[in-house]
Amino acid sequence: LRPAALVELLGMVEAGRLNGTQAKEVFAALAAEGGSPAEIARARGLEQVSDTAAIEALCDAVIAEHPKVVADYRAGNAAAINFLKGQVMKRSKGKANPAVAGEILALRLA
């Protein structure tokens, strides 16, 4: 592995372009094939989505599909938001930025 490739990979994680799981997959590909982390992530469709409009749409759909969980959250079950965040991640196939999804869900459910 080239040091520059590792620096690039860490920069992508720090910038929020990759989450930990995605970074591990890119790292494995780097070790096996070499190349650029950005190119590997792009070719495999691994880059994390941080576009708030896209994540808002996912959150709205999840909230509409799970009224019981929403009611539980609003009744004081703070852990219920984790289920909803998991559903957003599932709908996005793991590409949504979980921190952004959590913030949007908290705002929508307040």
Side-chain angles (χ1 to χ4, degrees):
L1 294 175
R2 297 177 342 218
L6 290 176
V7 169
E8 182 181 352
L9 178 60
L10 292 173
M12 292 175 73
V13 171
E14 191 171 281
R17 291 177 53 199
L18 294 176
N19 64 31
T21 303
Q22 294 165 330
K24 288 177 188 176
E25 188 172 333
V26 171
F27 181 82
L30 276 173
E33 307 161 13
S36 161
E39 290 173 9
I40 291 170
R42 194 172 15 260
R44 295 178 184 212
L46 294 174
E47 289 194 78
Q48 191 165 252
V49 176
S50 293
D51 174 26
T52 55
I55 296 174
E56 284 174 350
L58 292 170
C59 290
D60 290 341
V62 166
I63 289 169
E65 287 177 6
H66 300 282
K68 168 91 173 82
V69 179
V70 170
D72 289 347
Y73 176 78
R74 289 184 173 148
N77 182 358
I81 199 166
N82 293 329
F83 172 81
L84 296 171
K85 191 186 323 182
Q87 294 302 303
V88 171
M89 296 305 293
K90 184 176 178 181
R91 279 181 160 262
S92 71
K93 298 182 175 123
K95 292 184 180 182
N97 183 323
V100 174
E103 290 172 12
I104 292 170
L105 284 168
L107 288 173
R108 294 277 202 265
L109 299 175

